[in-house]
Amino acid sequence: MAKTALITGILGQDGPYLSKLLLAKGYKVYGMIRRYSNPNFETLDYLEITDKIEFIEGDMGDESSLMNVVRTVRPDEVYNLAAQSFVGDSWQMAKLTTEVNALGVLYLLNSLKIFSPTTKFYQASTSEMFGLGNTHGYQDEKTSFHPRSPYGIAKVYAHWMTVNFRESYGLFTASGILFNHESPVRGKQFVTRKITDGAARIKYGLAKKINLGNLDAKRDWGFAGDYAEAMYLMLQQDKADDYVIGTGQNHSVKEFVELAFKYAEIPDWKKYIVIDPRFKRPAEVYELKAKPEKALKILGWRPKVTFAELVKMMVKADMKRVKTLLV
Ligand code: NAP
Ligand code: G4F
């Protein structure tokens, strides 16, 4: 019989890539969405899989809705990708971010414990949990957490709750500590897509500049499609565990801008970038760089898309999309 997977946050960036992978492996995929009355299928449509998903309504802020979803589906695997995932908003929306990203995970774990204790659970943890924490300039599973945003703090709670349900009740709960991963369906509030969309608009005369914050911040950027594979692999192990997933290399926001403008064939990128204090954060995470040795060794996972290929892929997709707006 086909395996079943429930994905929360299926309408975001990662949900579609993970769904595509699971569908190709023969899974039946259930996608939890907040409002069936007005869903935005743009990211699933981009990967041409919308009609292959069975949707079910639920909200991470509402425990009874999660109980209902779990009791109805009783999937083999749950991938919890739902979150208020934009770090920049999390200071203004600290309570909502905590309710969804921290308490929501507790509700979901409780629902599994009561209605489907043999389900394997994946929690979308993040390198933001490390914040200022590092081990000789990189982060791995042993690095201490020093989160710098309400988002990071809520994710630390969810991470430890995931570990605790494993240790307390023997549930199969894995926490994937993923570094930044991007794609052509990345939300436009995140810096990479803001840059590639902005560069494409400048190229076709639809915009004159891009307002950005801290150009010196460094991130370990990979491709979302590669990271979906790591999520899947974590739930195929005999034993639940936690894994750092990243490329092991980092680049600054400035480097991303330079490369994006190069691929968009716009000379002199400096003419188009405005430093805008509104996009600087009250507390910045200056530098993240993964050491994903454990994942490489135990999961056999490898990132396939390089930084340059990622920037090129995103610029190309945005150029194609923006061009259609001209007619
Ligand atoms: P995303 O594009 O922001 O998608 C998040 C999804 O969560 C959205 O579809 C959103 O639904 C849903 N959601 C938000 N609040 C909800 C609620 N109260 N109830 C149910 N669903 C809710 O995020 P992503 O980039 O795909 O990332 C997936 C997960 O990985 C997130 O948990 C994120 O924090 C984590 N993560 C991401 C990265 C990265 O670099 N992308 C790195 C590490 C960890 P709507 O469509 O209805 O708004
Ligand atoms: O693209 P960002 O908003 O991503 P951030 O904050 O690193 O968070 C993303 O990755 C996390 C994993 O590490 C995820 F957990 C999280 O859900 C999300 O997917 O910002 C990246 C960097 C920051 O240092 C920010 O200060 O870019 C800097 N930046 C500079 N100018 C900007 C801007 N970020 C945004 N969003 N917009 C700007 O104009």
Side-chain angles (χ1 to χ4, degrees), residues 13 83-88 124-129 151 155 178-182 186 188-195 210-221 253 276 278-281 284-286 288:
Q13 170 188 248
Q84 188 305 92
S85 82
F86 185 43
V87 174
S125 291
T126 163
S127 49
E128 270 291 305
M129 301 191 305
Y151 168 83
K155 286 284 188 174
L178 272 50
F179 284 59
N180 298 49
H181 44 280
E182 320 292 315
R186 182 62 143 152
K188 286 186 200 157
Q189 67 273 43
F190 301 98
V191 77
T192 54
R193 186 77 198 287
K194 186 173 169 180
I195 294 166
I210 309 175
N211 287 32
L212 294 174
N214 178 14
L215 296 191
D216 296 323
K218 287 186 166 176
R219 291 291 183 273
D220 179 335
W221 278 298
V253 172
D276 184 336
R278 285 177 305 166
F279 296 108
K280 292 198 170 160
R281 294 177 177 174
E284 175 66 285
V285 170
Y286 302 107
L288 292 171

Side-chain angles (χ1 to χ4, degrees), residues 10 15-21 23 29 41 43-55:
I10 194 156
Y17 283 101
L18 178 62
S19 301
K20 188 151 187 154
L21 180 105
L23 288 166
V29 177
F41 291 135
T43 59
L44 286 170
D45 286 346
Y46 184 84
L47 294 183
E48 300 174 344
I49 51 170
T50 312
D51 59 356
K52 300 191 170 66
I53 310 290
E54 180 134 353
F55 296 101

